[in-house]
Amino acid sequence: MHPIPVLTPQQSNAWDAQAEAGGIARATLMAEAGRAVVAVVAARFPLALSRGVLVAVGPGNNGGDGWVVARVLHRAGIPVWVAAVAGDRSDLCAAAARQAQREGVREVPPDGPWPSIGIAIDALLGTGARGAPRAPIATLVERMTDLSVPIVAVDGPTGVDLATGVVHGLGGAQVTVTFGGIRRGHLLARDEVGDVVIADVGHPPPAAEWPWLMRDADAAAHVTAFSASAHKGTRGRLVVVGGAPGMAGAVRMTARAAFAGGAGLVHVVAPEATLDVLHVAEPDVQTLAQDFDSPARSETLELIGRADVLVLGPGFGRAENRTELALRLISSASAVVLDADGLVAFHRRIDDLRAALAGRTAVLTPHPGEFRTLFPALAAGAEADPWGAASEAADLLGATILLKGVPSVVASPGRATVTIGAGNPGLATGGSGDLLSGLIGVLLAHSVDAQTAAAVGAHALGRAADIAARRHTVRAMRPVDVVAALPDLWREWQLLRRTPPLLRPPVLLELPAPPRG
């Protein structure tokens, strides 16, 4: 099973060229793309399809895909009409249009009367389109949107830049069908693209260096069963340092996630006031007192030295003396997850952090604000190109960077970046990042490599959040609901490891739109 690549428009075009060089003509790719769109539409909208289809086509190759869609539907006896924008057609589009017209596909003027239909297909602009569409394309999109019928986009909705995710406000799609891989803009403009269906049209295997999208099957392979002889020592020892007074909830969430992920032992190192709370609220957790305004105790350093992983930062506090304490704690650890206040502690101390992490397994999990604090020179590009920003930061530190966001991106030096598309706005609450740190920490303790641990942890968090949203709604869900959903996710993945999912060619993957309400 090949990975699902995350593509720029340039990479998408290069992939088409590679297919052509390997003997698969672009006309063949177009024909397969059109048939794939019809297969998706027929499976998802059978009743709407029977009421008729309007296919809006542009003059480029995306319009050619639309002409193929119309021809395939016409052959199947579905009422279909094409609204074609005037302009010089590409050779492939012109050929597809002639073939459809010869077979009797009907046309309607873009600005004239339209028949009653049940569904619209947007095949106006392709992957490489940039900038705000102008008339007559913009006018045609507005007319389609006013129909109040489901819109299926070919490659992407008109007005969404598939390179940057910039949205020009023309509308959107209930479903987007794209080919071979997913485009960056699909992941950066989740509200506009709807469900994204990736279909195989015959491309060769993707380049090894391209970013790729984490799937359940990819993640499940790294969440394996314990042996019958497992004990608390072999299931992973974590030390979580954080929970300054008033922030006990942060370490509680991290510890809960670590246990839910399969940890054998979880120690929390925190000030006495926090431990008073933990002794009552989290009896599973072992504790050690450490005043964060004082030097590291020898007992603290010895505990970290015996642990498999140090998780440093949840509720650590932002006093000026935190940096020196953090450096001392890291020096005793063999593997580190650095999050939240543990990241902020190294504001303007990036060289010290690089030196401290040298020779250690390390995962840093900044959200965009923390990324800006740590890497101000890279922050400008983080929103539009999180793949490039995360990769540069990983190379700078020699560590794994999980840049949280929509999407989240995991980068490690010398490796293709991994993209996480799972999750929903219910994770936009305090405590979600603490859960993530616990999940990554326990995966590292189970000897999963740093980039994979970060990616699997982030994907598990997102998938558990989707389960929690179905139970509680996005609006009402809390971090504790995500922890409560993890057992169901582990059961799903256990079944997935035993029984691969049913194949539904040409569909490779469906990425549902995140729940929002």
Side-chain angles (χ1 to χ4, degrees):
M1 185 169 58
H2 294 304
I4 300 292
V6 179
L7 301 165
T8 65
Q10 294 78 12
Q11 289 166 337
S12 182
N13 189 53
W15 209 15
D16 288 349
Q18 185 184 358
E20 188 172 35
I24 303 173
R26 290 186 187 241
T28 301
L29 294 176
M30 179 175 286
E32 292 297 319
R35 292 188 185 97
V37 172
V38 173
V40 172
V41 171
R44 284 176 170 252
F45 304 104
L47 294 179
L49 196 65
S50 66
R51 292 195 290 270
V53 182
L54 177 77
V55 185
V57 303
N61 288 351
N62 191 254
D65 296 339
W67 282 106
V68 174
V69 170
R71 179 169 58 83
V72 174
L73 289 172
H74 178 70
R75 283 188 171 192
I78 301 297
V80 59
W81 296 266
V82 172
V85 173
D88 293 334
R89 288 172 177 159
S90 70
D91 291 343
L92 287 174
C93 181
R98 287 193 298 270
Q99 188 172 3
Q101 291 161 343
R102 281 197 301 267
E103 295 190 19
V105 171
R106 294 169 290 183
E107 293 187 64
V108 292
D111 57 351
W114 287 350
S116 176
I117 60 167
I119 194 166
I121 309 292
D122 175 359
L124 288 165
L125 295 176
T127 298
R130 304 296 299 270
R134 299 187 295 269
I137 287 178
T139 305
L140 183 49
V141 173
E142 290 170 358
R143 283 201 70 188
M144 278 199 305
T145 304
D146 288 342
L147 293 175
S148 297
V149 299
I151 295 176
V152 175
V154 180
D155 266 334
T158 300
V160 175
D161 188 320
L162 293 181
T164 64
V166 171
V167 178
H168 296 286
L170 294 181
Q174 279 78 1
V175 180
T176 293
V177 185
T178 193
F179 312 109
I182 195 165
R183 278 60 182 169
R184 292 187 176 195
H186 296 140
L187 296 163
L188 294 165
R190 294 295 302 277
D191 289 341
E192 283 70 31
V193 300
D195 297 344
V196 180
V197 180
I198 304 166
D200 176 32
V201 295
H203 287 101
E209 67 271 16
W210 287 347
W212 56 278
L213 183 70
M214 176 69 72
R215 297 170 287 192
D216 276 3
D218 303 317
H222 299 281
V223 184
T224 54
F226 296 113
S227 69
S229 60
H231 56 80
K232 62 186 179 184
T234 61
R235 286 183 50 170
R237 301 169 181 262
L238 272 71
V239 173
V240 183
V241 179
M247 292 186 282
V251 287
R252 289 182 65 188
M253 290 296 100
T254 301
R256 286 188 178 190
F259 276 126
L265 288 165
V266 179
H267 281 81
V268 169
V269 175
E272 284 282 5
T274 298
L275 300 187
D276 290 342
V277 174
L278 289 179
H279 292 153
V280 176
E282 306 293 340
D284 299 341
V285 173
Q286 300 184 54
T287 62
L288 180 68
Q290 169 69 57
D291 182 357
F292 291 163
D293 293 320
S294 302
R297 298 174 57 198
S298 59
E299 294 89 345
T300 300
L301 300 177
E302 290 170 6
L303 178 64
I304 293 171
R306 293 194 304 270
D308 296 305
V309 179
L310 166 65
V311 179
L312 174 59
F316 190 48
R318 299 189 177 184
E320 290 185 5
N321 62 348
R322 294 295 190 269
T323 306
E324 300 308 320
L325 178 59
L327 286 169
R328 188 71 183 94
L329 299 177
I330 291 171
S331 71
S332 295
S334 57
V336 181
V337 179
L338 199 61
D339 182 38
D341 294 342
L343 295 166
V344 176
F346 291 96
H347 177 49
R348 297 178 181 172
R349 300 282 297 271
I350 198 72
D351 290 338
D352 292 332
L353 178 58
R354 184 192 303 112
L357 297 179
R360 292 180 172 81
T361 299
V363 176
L364 284 69
T365 63
H367 59 53
E370 293 158 350
F371 189 88
R372 191 179 308 114
T373 296
L374 270 181
F375 309 103
L378 304 178
E383 184 173 347
D385 183 13
W387 297 270
S391 294
E392 288 189 58
D395 290 340
L396 179 64
L397 277 184
T400 293
I401 303 291
L402 195 172
L403 177 51
K404 295 183 286 195
V406 182
S408 293
V409 174
V410 186
S412 285
R415 297 179 64 177
T417 56
V418 187
T419 308
I420 311 301
N424 60 70
L427 289 173
T429 57
S432 296
D434 304 320
L435 299 181
L436 177 60
S437 294
L439 289 172
I440 296 171
V442 74
L443 286 162
L444 287 175
H446 292 164
S447 300
V448 178
D449 70 85
Q451 186 182 36
T452 303
V456 172
H459 187 72
L461 181 75
R463 288 284 286 106
D466 291 340
I467 294 171
R470 291 196 293 270
R471 294 174 178 168
H472 303 282
T473 73
V474 166
R475 189 177 304 277
M477 63 181 274
R478 301 165 56 199
V480 291
D481 301 320
V482 179
V483 175
L486 282 168
D488 287 332
L489 180 65
W490 303 147
R491 292 186 189 101
E492 283 187 26
W493 286 2
Q494 184 180 39
L495 181 62
L496 183 60
R497 290 194 301 272
R498 293 175 178 173
T499 308
L502 293 175
L503 297 177
R504 294 186 297 111
V507 172
L508 296 172
L509 181 71
E510 297 186 12
L511 184 65
R516 292 185 287 166

